[in-house]
Amino acid sequence: MTDHAHVHGDDHDILFLPGPTEVDAELREIMAMPVVGHRSAGFIEEVKAIGQKLKSLFLTENGHALFENCSATAMMEVAIRNLVRERSLHIVNGAFSDRWYKVAAACGRQPDAIQIEWGGAPTVEQVQEKLKQDGPYDAVTVTYSETSTGALSPLREIAAMVREVAPDTLVLVDAVSALAGAELRFDDWDLDLVYAGTQKCLALPPGLCVYALSERAMARTNDVPNRGFLTDYQRAAKGLAAGKTPATPCIPLVYALSRQLDRIAKETLDVRWQRHQNMQATTRDWAQAEGYEFFVDEPNRSPTVTALKNSGREVKDLIAKARANGFTLGNGYGTLKDKTFRIGHMGDHPESRLKQFLEVISGA
Ligand SMILES: Cc1ncc(COP(=O)(O)O)c(C=O)c1O
């Protein structure tokens, strides 16, 4: 709660951060429910139902659709521990893709990287050349929407190329700031692992991650020893299919996820993706009118987050202006702090609210 005037009439600062994102009142109310046992019949049914709903979200019939009680960073580690025997290739174009590369080293693997200047995105040719020159790799990791810079990678095209030139290399995808905001089709694009945390385009509090796994990925786990206990994909898939989470999850958040998946299905993925495209276009037009330079060139801009250069203005003044009107926006990430700022136009925001927000930070 804040005590200043809110132009939007709500009782708290509305988040236009690139995560965590604004959570609707209906979902917040579910979070306040009395806790039930996670081995109760009702909860077991809910877990099974979520498995089906997640299949619709990932657009997969053939894959396993699962969730876990953890941060997205843990999902990076789980992926390495389950799917990489020795060598992984990481497309590094920002802070989160770089984190995955470092996670692989921390797990004792031999990671290699394609380093791309921050703000850029890989080309299919760059990845293909690397695979041919230095492969084989057990897996290649792609950070679909690199939240630190606002760059979207050509995931579909990269995945198609990998399947063709390196059929034994798995395609692992961080879709943390993309899933339910940017087009993503697990089966059609023939992906092996996709994960996302609940605190971005899913517009829920942080705490859970959802993920999808291909049969090819599941088969790979047989070749990887010491996958861990909580983090073992085989164990997780078997348990969740029977409605049993491996450990005690954040129970109210699981119910909120279930409701949110219904709400997304009702909106439909196509409409939701289009709404994010529209929000990106609105932000782009506003930035051009206000004279801000973009950190990412077209066509690599993410539909969910836009990073802009400060363009002679003080980012802290912009953030203060937003706050004075009951909104929160994101500073630049890491070394980009104060040099850039980020508008997270993702989640459940109606376009009208984005416009209201942009209006109050205009003329800085
Ligand atoms: C693309 C991406 N990957 C991973 C993460 C890490 O998520 P978490 O903080 O849940 O570990 C983030 C967080 O912002 C992200 O944007």
Side-chain angles (χ1 to χ4, degrees), residues 71-73 76 96 99 143 145 147 174 176-177 199-200:
S71 69
T73 304
M76 296 180 185
F96 295 105
R99 185 180 294 182
T143 301
S145 168
T147 324
D174 175 327
V176 172
S177 63
Q199 75 273 26
K200 307 270 181 185

Side-chain angles (χ1 to χ4, degrees), residues 185-199:
R185 300 174 187 276
F186 189 82
D187 282 3
D188 283 1
W189 296 2
D190 210 358
L191 307 172
D192 292 301
L193 163 72
V194 175
Y195 64 80
T198 41
Q199 75 273 26

Side-chain angles (χ1 to χ4, degrees), residues 103-344:
V103 163
C107 289
R109 305 318 198 256
Q110 294 154 34
D112 198 353
I114 301 174
Q115 296 284 354
I116 291 154
E117 201 181 343
W118 285 32
T123 63
V124 175
E125 293 70 31
Q126 263 176 311
V127 184
Q128 179 164 350
E129 202 170 300
K130 181 74 177 166
L131 286 172
K132 283 191 171 158
Q133 226 168 52
D134 297 328
Y137 297 98
D138 290 338
V140 55
T141 70
V142 187
T143 301
Y144 186 22
S145 168
E146 181 38 273
T147 324
S148 61
T149 67
L152 192 80
S153 284
L155 173 60
R156 176 191 195 154
E157 293 78 7
I158 290 172
M161 177 278 294
V162 174
R163 287 278 66 81
E164 208 176 304
V165 310
D168 293 332
T169 300
L170 300 177
V171 177
L172 315 184
V173 182
D174 175 327
V176 172
S177 63
L179 186 72
E183 183 180 5
L184 193 154
R185 300 174 187 276
F186 189 82
D187 282 3
D188 283 1
W189 296 2
D190 210 358
L191 307 172
D192 292 301
L193 163 72
V194 175
Y195 64 80
T198 41
Q199 75 273 26
K200 307 270 181 185
C201 306
L202 287 168
L204 288 164
L208 296 177
C209 284
V210 297
Y211 62 109
L213 276 174
S214 68
E215 278 304 344
R216 196 167 39 228
M218 204 49 119
R220 166 67 59 80
T221 60
N222 291 321
D223 300 338
V224 186
N226 302 320
R227 297 185 300 275
F229 183 85
L230 184 70
T231 63
D232 178 10
Y233 282 154
Q234 289 188 17
R235 216 169 154 268
K238 203 166 154 225
L240 287 181
K244 290 187 185 146
T245 56
T248 321
C250 178
I251 291 158
L253 185 49
V254 174
Y255 280 102
L257 171 64
S258 189
R259 177 72 62 85
Q260 179 65 327
L261 293 173
D262 291 342
R263 287 159 44 115
I264 292 170
K266 192 163 170 226
E267 182 180 14
T268 76
L269 282 175
D270 283 339
V271 170
R272 198 173 176 87
W273 294 336
Q274 187 59 51
R275 183 167 53 77
H276 282 80
Q277 292 277 7
N278 296 349
M279 289 198 287
Q280 193 250 328
T282 298
T283 307
R284 177 202 59 211
D285 293 349
W286 170 84
Q288 279 167 347
E290 290 287 312
Y292 286 107
E293 288 170 79
F294 293 87
F295 191 65
V296 177
D297 292 332
E298 290 283 28
N300 298 325
R301 290 183 199 144
S302 172
T304 69
V305 51
T306 297
L308 298 168
K309 297 182 187 170
N310 66 0
S311 312
R313 268 124 327 162
E314 290 282 349
V315 171
K316 66 173 181 351
D317 292 346
L318 203 60
I319 291 173
K321 199 169 178 191
R323 279 223 77 202
N325 288 285
F327 291 101
T328 302
L329 84 156
N331 205 324
Y333 191 93
T335 52
L336 294 172
K337 193 170 170 212
D338 297 328
K339 294 187 195 121
T340 65
F341 62 98
R342 290 171 302 157
I343 297 173

